[in-house]
Each structure stands twice: as C-alpha cells, then as structure tokens.
Amino acid sequence: MQTDWLTTGPSVRKFEETIALFAGGVPHAVAVSSGTAGLHSAMFALGIQPGDEVIVPPMTFAATANCVLYQGGMPVFADVDPGTLLIDPEKVENKITSKTRAIIGVDYAGHPCDWDALRDIADRNHLALVADSCHALGAEYKGRKTGTLADMTVFSFHPVKHITTGEGGMVLTHSAVLDNRLRLFRNHGIASDSHQREQQGVWHYEMTDLGFNYRITDFQSALGISQLAKLPEFLKRRREIAARYDAAFSDVLHVRPLDVQGEIRHAYHLYVVRVPAEARTSIFLKLRQEGVGTNVHYIPVHLHPYYRQRLGTGPGLCPVAEDAYKEILSIPIYAQMSDAEIDHVISRLSVAVQEARG
Ligand SMILES: *Cc1c(COP(=O)(O)O)cnc(C)c1O
C-alpha cells in the first residue's frame, strides 16, 4: 500500500508468480480485473469466434457461458452428473459437432471435475480444455492441483471466493502463446505496456487486436498476496466444517450432501445438500427467517430468460441439472465459522426439514 504504484506495477507480477507457484508451479499466470474477465480472455486467447461452439455445464454461474457469447460463439450445454453435479464427460461427448472448439469444465462447489476424462475427450477431438476453477482454488485432483489440469484455468478473487482482492481474477496456463494472447487482451490489444516501453526507451506501440482494459491494480495485487498466505488456514477450516456437516447429516433423513469422489481434495467453496423438492422453498425461507444464510447455487444457466430468448433453450435440455436445482440448498461455510455456529446450522436445518415434511 505504501509504494508509488497504483495500477500495473511490481505487485501484479508478484501476485501472478505467487499464485502460479501455489498452483503447483504453472509457468504462466495473468492477473485480470475479475474471474469473468479471465473467462472472456481465455475465449479470446483460443480465438473463439462466430460459428464456434463451446461446451459448458448448466450448473454454474452465468459468466461461464456468457464468456462464449462475448466472443460471438455459441455455448452448448452438457448435463451434469447426478451425484456431484459436475459436467458429465459422457454428455460432453454427445454434444460435440464439427463446430466444437473447446470445453469449459466448472469445479462446482470446489470439487474438481473428472479432468482425465475431459482431457481424453478434448485430445481425441482436438478441442481446447478450459477450467472455470472459480470455486476451487487449492483443490486437488489425483494429487494434482487446480491450475494444472486444463489448457487454461480461471480463478476469481471476488469477496465470496476463497481469497479476495475486492474484484479480481487470474488465468493460469502452461502455454507461452496463450500467455501472450491473454496479456494482449488485458491491455486493449496493445503489445507492450507503458512500463516496458519506458525501459526500452521506445514511444511506439501498436494495437494488433481488439482487447479490453481488464487490468488489475497494484494495490489489489498486494492484498491478494497477503490473502494467499492465509489460504492454507482457510482451506483447512472449510474442510473441518464440511467433515462436521458430513458426519451430522449421515444421520438426518431427507438431507443428502453431494457426492465426493475419493480421488480428489475438495476446496469447499460451497457446501450443498439436497432436500426433498416439495419442501426446499419452505426450508430455505425458514432458515433465512432464523438468520441462517442459505442460498441456491445455481438456477441452471439455460433457464435464464436471456438464454431462452437468444438461444431458444429451456426445460428438458439438461434434466439432471433441472431436477437437482429443485432440491439444492447451499448452507453456510466460511473460514471464520465457529463450532457453535456449525452445530446451530445442523440443528436448525434438521428441524426445518422435519417440519417441512410434516
Ligand atoms: C465467481 C464466479 C465467476 C465469476 O467471477 P467474478 O470474479 O465474479 O467475475 C465465474 N464462474 C464461477 C463458477 C464463479 O463462481
């Protein structure tokens, strides 16, 4: 905070290096102004354009699909697995056409997708693989960290995520070519930033592509660096809370946590349970009334009015996600949560479910 830098300065590069190192030594990381900016930049870096299709899951925040539309491409929804609500590799395979260019997997709730299966499909069909890991900073898949599992991985540092910079995001990649494209897009499509030009003593610059101002500031990056130091502690606490919920709900009728595969380490951005569909809304309202901050993640993207009107999507397109949507409830999970608060949520939810079931 005490340096002279406000926007792009040394803290941005340091933040990028710190996240890249944390995510298992990925060689390239590009910090941007939000997770959404990161997803958009990833679509640009791949050269997504009108006529291209990108396969996405419906059980996600709208930005996962919106980023394809920003580039003029077409998001194609592939349904999710009923146990984990993660994109189902078999459904992905069924959606591939001659126009498909990429797959975006979403590590929903903090549980990594089946990245080996997605990689296999991507390789066999010459598709790019993008990870929307906005829920999954610090998660692992078969001993490999999120950040290393796709051609590009996007993280968000919005305040609801594991660590925050107010607004912010980052794209990680093993590819120097993609890294270069991401940096170009972040800065108006201009090849080098003013600092580099100053060092080179050159006034000349060229805009070669239509980019945006998607830069993050130096002071946000400084905050990100200090936040990242606390992440191991945050993750540890989130996993403890989840374990306590798991144990408690194994005894509660009609409260069913999502499946967790054995080969992963969950980051628990969300803790999602399924309750009977006919009782979900009354349970939600009762908990909210009692000051227990529940929510529903997510309304399937293809059911939003914009998608229905523009793409003609609607009910029946992804029945697994649509059925799950009627039953899901996200219950409180955050690093500062006390044991007493966890027990309070467990008892309030258990009572609300019994009451709603009559
Ligand atoms: C938060 C989030 C985003 C968008 O990130 P912002 O930083 O808010 O732009 C995208 N995808 C998913 C799954 C998210 O949870």
Side-chain angles (χ1 to χ4, degrees), residues 32-39 59-65 105-109 132-136 154-161 166-170 269-270 297-298:
V32 288
S33 53
S34 70
T36 304
L39 287 164
M59 188 52 76
T60 183
F61 183 58
T64 311
V106 176
D107 296 327
Y108 173 73
D132 178 341
S133 296
C134 290
H135 292 186
V154 179
F155 293 120
S156 163
F157 309 119
H158 180 277
V160 302
K161 309 297 161 72
E167 299 279 359
M170 200 163 311
H269 166 60
L270 302 173
H297 300 94
Y298 292 94

Side-chain angles (χ1 to χ4, degrees), residues 6-334:
L6 290 171
T7 186
T8 314
S11 294
V12 176
R13 183 59 91 162
K14 186 161 177 236
F15 184 34
E16 291 172 342
E17 287 168 0
T18 317
I19 292 278
L21 193 66
F22 173 82
V26 181
H28 305 283
V30 181
V32 288
S33 53
S34 70
T36 304
L39 287 164
H40 186 187
S41 303
M43 292 300 102
F44 167 83
L46 294 176
I48 298 302
Q49 57 183 339
D52 292 345
E53 294 178 356
V54 177
I55 299 176
V56 301
M59 188 52 76
T60 183
F61 183 58
T64 311
N66 291 352
C67 70
V68 183
L69 293 175
Y70 294 159
Q71 285 299 108
M74 182 65 73
V76 172
F77 295 96
D79 211 348
V80 295
D81 174 86
T84 58
L85 306 188
L86 296 167
I87 196 165
D88 182 339
E90 229 177 272
K91 305 277 174 53
V92 169
E93 195 123 36
N94 295 339
K95 295 284 181 173
I96 293 172
T97 71
S98 59
K99 294 175 177 176
T100 310
R101 296 285 171 268
I103 304 164
I104 307 179
V106 176
D107 296 327
Y108 173 73
H111 188 311
C113 297
D114 187 352
W115 288 108
D116 281 352
L118 293 175
R119 170 57 71 195
D120 179 55
I121 295 167
D123 285 354
R124 275 190 285 108
N125 295 279
H126 310 290
L127 308 176
L129 192 54
V130 175
D132 178 341
S133 296
C134 290
H135 292 186
L137 184 62
E140 291 174 26
Y141 171 81
K142 298 184 181 175
R144 286 132 59 196
K145 285 191 160 177
T146 51
T148 64
L149 302 166
D151 297 320
M152 280 178 282
T153 300
V154 179
F155 293 120
S156 163
F157 309 119
H158 180 277
V160 302
K161 309 297 161 72
H162 286 80
I163 66 167
T164 190
T165 57
E167 299 279 359
M170 200 163 311
V171 189
L172 277 66
T173 181
H174 282 93
S175 158
V177 173
L178 291 174
D179 173 73
N180 200 34
R181 301 264 303 159
L182 293 164
R183 288 178 191 282
L184 195 70
F185 197 63
R186 172 175 76 176
N187 194 35
H188 307 281
I190 294 170
S192 63
D193 69 25
S194 63
H195 183 54
Q196 283 172 335
R197 285 198 304 275
E198 208 175 338
Q199 283 183 329
Q200 290 159 0
V202 180
W203 57 268
H204 182 260
Y205 70 87
E206 283 181 344
M207 186 194 129
T208 57
D209 286 271
L210 187 60
F212 283 74
N213 175 356
Y214 275 163
R215 295 185 301 261
I216 196 169
T217 66
D218 221 53
F219 52 88
Q220 285 175 299
S221 299
L223 175 58
I225 294 163
S226 88
Q227 282 269 293
L228 190 65
K230 300 176 188 167
L231 179 63
E233 211 179 294
F234 292 166
L235 284 166
K236 181 166 168 277
R237 184 58 183 159
R238 283 174 179 271
R239 288 170 179 146
E240 284 170 6
I241 297 164
R244 212 170 164 112
Y245 279 152
D246 287 345
F249 298 136
S250 66
D251 285 344
V252 179
L253 208 60
H254 305 306
V255 176
R256 206 153 47 88
L258 296 185
D259 289 356
V260 178
Q261 299 313 202
E263 65 205 2
I264 67 109
R265 281 198 90 194
H266 210 302
Y268 288 108
H269 166 60
L270 302 173
Y271 191 93
V272 177
V273 296
R274 295 176 80 150
V275 296
E278 69 282 4
R280 195 269 307 271
T281 304
S282 63
I283 295 167
F284 173 90
L285 291 171
K286 180 132 212 302
L287 290 174
R288 278 279 179 106
Q289 262 169 22
E290 292 176 347
V292 176
T294 56
N295 219 328
V296 173
H297 300 94
Y298 292 94
I299 299 169
V301 178
H302 67 285
L303 298 183
H304 283 297
Y306 184 83
Y307 277 87
R308 290 181 188 230
Q309 279 154 30
R310 178 160 170 181
L311 306 187
T313 57
L317 186 64
C318 296
V320 179
E322 291 159 27
D323 285 349
Y325 163 63
K326 296 171 191 150
E327 298 182 347
I328 51 179
L329 209 53
S330 304
I331 61 173
I333 186 163
Y334 51 96

